[in-house]
Amino acid sequence: MMKNNKSVIYWLLSGCILLFIMVVVGGITRLTNSGLSMTDWHLVTDTFPPLTEAKWIQTFEEYKKFPEYQKINIHNDFTLSDYKFIYFWEWFHRFIGRIIGLVFIIPFVYFLFKKQLSSATIKKCVVLLFMGAFQGFLGWFMVRSGLIDNPDVSHFRLSLHLTFAFITFAYTLWVALDLIYPNKIQVIVPLRNLARVALVFLLIQIIYGGFVAGLNAGLIHNHWPLMSDGQFIHDSVFIEQKTLFLNLVEGKSGVQFVHRTMAYFVVGLIIALYIRSKKYMLTTLQKRGINTLLIFVFLQFILGVFTLLYSVPLWLGLVHQIMAFFLLSAMTFTLHRLSK
């Protein structure tokens, strides 16, 4: 680690930690059905929740004008106390987003003023700045889809918001790793290329994880290794939507089938990476990265199975999402050590 880059590295890694917390809270927000509790967005005035009972009542009355209350919660004896609970998680999710913005922008300006950033790092940080701003837009774009007619957000927008958060985290970590390990190493092209393929499949799996969450597709076919009725591909995969393609991106059964099947490909690619790596002389960090990746992918696979078998209890769904974050972290680190 270059001594004069320590503060920049710690800054970037603190951003990674905050992004991790953001995704965890986002998972809780989704699993507690809290995402539509705040029906508007204001950069400054929403910074803190309502501070008086009168303001709480006013905010609750505004919430009652929207589909989630009118079509669902009105029938559930939904009280102000219930509303405060779901409001907290959505507010906390947005609050962390504001903190991330401040943690990024203020030190970035400081490091620019102190000339502690190289031109290459400045360019990468500007990309991160735009990624963060775009992620904020995606959050509101997602919420907006559930405030019009259907009291649920678009699973496409949910997955886009989730996946882009993962990608933003991975890129932030990559920029930090560039500074932590500035010296070039011998690139093992076959392993690097295989790791790249594995990363692509992992990202597709994360996308479909968002689809499953958005469609509540984990609440059906709660069997493994086969789907319901002892079928590998259940009949419902083909009949929910008009075409096979739509079934695989919009049908609950189809989306779950892709997600549960894609898991085998991700595991298989990482096992292949591990086996193939034995043919090469690797550095200690490369070995640790691949070994950690192998352990994490098996843990994630097991968590996925139990999350399905137990019909997505909140804590297990959250742990499954957290493990996906750790898996992507290991993948990013391993690919970096195989590429630079």
Side-chain angles (χ1 to χ4, degrees):
M1 181 188 300
M2 295 179 66
K3 188 174 181 180
N4 60 345
N5 277 331
K6 272 190 176 181
S7 56
V8 178
I9 291 167
Y10 292 145
W11 164 56
L12 289 168
L13 291 179
S14 67
C16 288
I17 293 171
L18 284 170
L19 284 166
F20 168 71
I21 295 171
M22 181 93 169
V23 170
V24 171
V25 174
I28 297 173
T29 301
R30 174 61 194 173
L31 291 167
T32 56
N33 295 312
S34 302
L36 298 177
S37 58
M38 295 179 70
T39 57
D40 209 342
W41 187 87
H42 302 285
L43 182 60
V44 177
T45 55
D46 284 344
T47 302
F48 298 101
L51 300 177
T52 66
E53 194 68 9
K55 186 65 177 176
W56 270 116
I57 293 172
Q58 179 185 341
T59 307
F60 187 32
E61 290 302 318
E62 189 64 27
Y63 169 74
K64 290 180 179 180
K65 299 176 183 178
F66 290 87
E68 184 175 72
Y69 179 81
Q70 294 177 348
K71 295 183 178 182
I72 298 176
N73 286 333
I74 195 173
H75 306 295
N76 295 333
D77 296 322
F78 196 75
T79 65
L80 179 59
S81 177
D82 297 322
Y83 177 66
K84 287 180 179 180
F85 174 79
I86 64 171
Y87 186 100
F88 168 79
W89 287 112
E90 176 63 12
W91 167 81
F92 191 38
H93 187 55
R94 297 188 191 192
F95 182 74
I96 296 171
R98 287 178 168 90
I99 297 298
I100 291 174
L102 292 175
V103 166
F104 183 82
I105 293 170
I106 294 174
F108 179 55
V109 173
Y110 172 81
F111 290 135
L112 280 177
F113 181 74
K114 291 290 186 176
K115 297 182 179 179
Q116 289 185 245
L117 302 175
S118 67
S119 58
T121 303
I122 291 172
K123 291 176 183 176
K124 295 171 186 174
C125 289
V126 169
V127 171
L128 282 173
L129 180 63
F130 279 102
M131 290 178 78
F134 186 60
Q135 178 66 1
F137 164 76
L138 287 177
W140 177 242
F141 182 64
M142 174 190 71
V143 169
R144 187 64 184 162
S145 66
L147 297 176
I148 302 171
D149 296 312
N150 182 22
D152 203 358
V153 298
S154 161
H155 70 288
F156 292 116
R157 298 188 189 187
L158 172 76
S159 185
L160 182 61
H161 184 51
L162 174 68
T163 305
F164 200 74
F166 274 77
I167 292 172
T168 302
F169 165 83
Y171 186 65
T172 305
L173 179 59
W174 189 277
V175 175
L177 291 171
D178 281 344
L179 297 176
I180 295 170
Y181 305 108
N183 298 322
K184 299 293 183 181
I185 60 173
Q186 182 69 36
V187 176
I188 305 173
V189 176
L191 292 184
R192 181 201 63 189
N193 291 345
L194 184 55
R196 285 177 174 176
V197 173
L199 175 61
V200 169
F201 274 81
L202 177 58
L203 288 174
I204 294 172
Q205 181 70 335
I206 290 170
I207 290 169
Y208 265 87
F211 285 176
V212 170
L215 291 170
N216 294 315
L219 302 179
I220 59 173
H221 304 304
N222 300 111
H223 309 276
W224 188 84
L226 301 175
M227 298 178 79
S228 300
D229 305 318
Q231 296 179 315
F232 177 69
I233 307 178
H234 194 261
D235 294 338
S236 56
V237 170
F238 304 101
I239 61 176
E240 287 185 50
Q241 303 294 329
K242 295 179 180 179
T243 66
L244 177 61
F245 174 75
L246 288 178
N247 273 306
L248 297 180
V249 296
E250 294 186 9
K252 290 184 179 183
S253 295
V255 162
Q256 191 200 105
F257 170 75
V258 173
H259 190 57
R260 65 195 289 159
T261 306
M262 186 68 66
Y264 294 109
F265 286 92
V266 175
V267 172
L269 284 165
I270 292 175
I271 291 174
L273 179 65
Y274 174 79
I275 294 172
R276 196 164 187 179
S277 70
K278 297 299 182 181
K279 300 178 181 179
Y280 300 92
M281 290 291 294
L282 302 181
T283 67
T284 301
L285 290 175
Q286 288 171 334
K287 289 178 182 177
R288 286 178 182 172
I290 292 173
N291 290 341
T292 302
L293 198 54
L294 187 68
I295 294 169
F296 280 4
V297 78
F298 276 114
L299 286 175
Q300 178 66 341
F301 186 88
I302 292 168
L303 282 170
V305 170
F306 280 102
T307 301
L308 181 64
L309 290 177
Y310 287 98
S311 303
V312 200
L314 191 152
W315 72 272
L316 197 49
L318 186 60
V319 172
H320 186 49
Q321 182 167 307
I322 291 171
M323 196 64 229
F325 215 95
F326 288 155
L327 182 57
L328 181 63
S329 301
M331 178 66 79
T332 303
F333 177 84
T334 303
L335 182 57
H336 190 278
R337 291 297 76 218
L338 293 172
S339 302
K340 295 276 185 158

